[in-house]
Amino acid sequence: MNALPVLEPATDESCCAPASAPALGAEEAKQKALVFKALADPNRLRLLSIVKAEASGESCVCDLTEPLDLGQPTVSHHLKILVEAGLLHREKRGTWAYYSLVPGALDDVAGILAAL
């Protein structure tokens, strides 16, 4: 039986550069992941699309239930997540809430990906 040769550890440090600090810190990554988690749901993507396409730049929650064929509580839940992620702005008017895109929010999402 032939013995395998013993390899000596490399002593030349130039072959392997030490790992640098991550460009994205743990807390920052956690915050940015909230945005992508919000975008990961098809209904939320549709809600963003509907609000963005509205000529007035805003949509009432009462107008968002029918296109998604979801109940008002479910639509409100999805909208709340989009607001918490910083993608939509919510304005209460009487008994209804109106939603609009946060200016620059979608550009910020694109910027997150470009910076990785």
Side-chain angles (χ1 to χ4, degrees), residues 17-90:
S20 62
L24 194 59
E27 188 58 36
E28 186 180 9
K30 189 176 181 179
Q31 291 297 326
K32 293 181 187 305
L34 288 174
V35 173
F36 290 108
K37 185 176 179 181
L39 293 172
D41 184 279
N43 289 315
R44 292 185 206 129
L45 284 176
R46 291 181 66 202
L47 284 168
L48 279 175
S49 174
I50 293 167
V51 171
K52 185 178 183 212
E54 186 60 42
S56 66
E58 63 183 12
S59 295
C60 176
V61 68
C62 60
D63 296 327
L64 297 172
T65 56
E66 186 179 329
L68 270 62
D69 195 30
L70 296 172
Q72 188 270 331
T74 302
V75 171
S76 291
H77 169 75
H78 287 305
L79 290 166
K80 178 183 174 192
I81 290 172
L82 291 168
V83 168
E84 289 172 350
L87 299 167
L88 288 180
H89 171 74
R90 178 181 186 268

